[in-house]
């Protein structure tokens, strides 16, 4: 009987600690290395481009599955992720290849996500309500304005991580309503433009 209660206690202890996640466990080593590489590039860029925020940046790792948090709000001074959420990729980026391989394009009407650096611009009210225009800063995303690629919310995007893929966008970084509210506050409280880096 004593052995039974010890086993029960051990199983309950394991159950209650299952969902505890330390900050260092947010990303695996490979994803963390990719993040650090892009953080370094952003720091170098914002040092010489003072119209951009040198304290906060947004990063999206498209190698991470869409059901997992892959949109990161990063504190460039403290070198840490301070918020994270789900973000959709474009339906045109789907390849149907086993192994979750995505494709990317800057072509209008491709419905693809475009990789590269974006400047988060002024808000406007569109089909999905309030959204932020995105200006592409690289050759790989130079058509962002022409393609109406914006940061917007959508009610079908879940707030919490999922065990499956989430809905696709038409190429926009599309987030949940709750996460959008948090991003909105950061963007509108910033005296300078925020850089968004989408990478793979």
């Amino acid at each position: 009987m004593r052995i039974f209660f010890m086993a029960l206690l051990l199983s309950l202890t394991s159950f209650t600690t299952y969902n505890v996640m330390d900050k260092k466990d947010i990303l695996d080593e490979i994803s963390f290395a990719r993040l650090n590489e892009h953080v370094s590039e952003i720091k170098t860029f914002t040092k010489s481009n003072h119209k951009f925020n040198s304290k906060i940046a947004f990063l999206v790792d498209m190698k991470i599955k869409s059901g997992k948090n892959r949109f990161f709000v990063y504190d460039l001074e403290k070198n840490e992720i301070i918020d994270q959420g789900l973000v959709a990729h474009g339906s045109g980026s789907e390849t149907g290849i086993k192994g979750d391989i995505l494709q990317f394009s800057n072509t209008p009407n491709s419905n693809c996500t475009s990789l590269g650096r974006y400047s988060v611009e002024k808000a406007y009210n569109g089909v999905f309500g309030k959204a932020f225009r995105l200006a592409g800063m690289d050759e790989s995303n130079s058509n962002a304005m022409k393609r109406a690629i914006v940061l917007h919310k959508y009610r079908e995007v879940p707030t919490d991580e999922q065990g499956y893929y989430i809905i696709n966008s038409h190429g926009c970084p599309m987030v949940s309503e709750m996460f959008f509210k948090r991003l909105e506050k950061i963007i509108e409280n910033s005296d300078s433009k925020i850089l968004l880096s989408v990478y793979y």
Side-chain angles (χ1 to χ4, degrees), residues 176-193:
S176 73
E177 292 176 327
M178 194 177 290
F179 189 41
F180 184 86
K181 282 181 184 176
R182 302 201 300 268
L183 296 175
E184 176 187 14
K185 192 177 286 187
I186 293 167
I187 295 164
E188 296 193 333
N189 286 335
S190 177
D191 294 329
S192 47
K193 291 183 179 182

Side-chain angles (χ1 to χ4, degrees), residues 31-99:
S31 300
F32 186 68
R34 277 200 307 276
L35 179 82
N36 276 340
E37 181 185 336
H38 290 278
V39 164
S40 296
E41 288 173 7
I42 289 169
K43 284 182 177 180
T44 301
F45 179 80
T46 55
K47 272 183 184 176
S48 56
N49 292 270
H50 300 296
K51 68 177 183 178
F52 285 93
N53 194 319
S54 60
K55 296 177 181 178
I56 297 288
F58 298 159
L59 297 102
V60 176
D61 185 348
M62 286 293 169
K63 279 270 188 193
I64 298 172
K65 293 178 182 180
S66 66
K68 301 299 176 186
N69 291 330
R70 58 179 181 175
F71 189 125
F72 305 106
V73 179
Y74 197 87
D75 187 320
L76 298 167
E77 292 184 326
K78 294 181 180 177
N79 285 315
E80 63 182 14
I81 294 167
I82 56 173
D83 200 357
Q84 58 183 324
L86 301 178
V87 59
H89 57 254
S91 58
S93 287
E94 294 286 349
T95 62
I97 298 171
K98 195 174 179 181

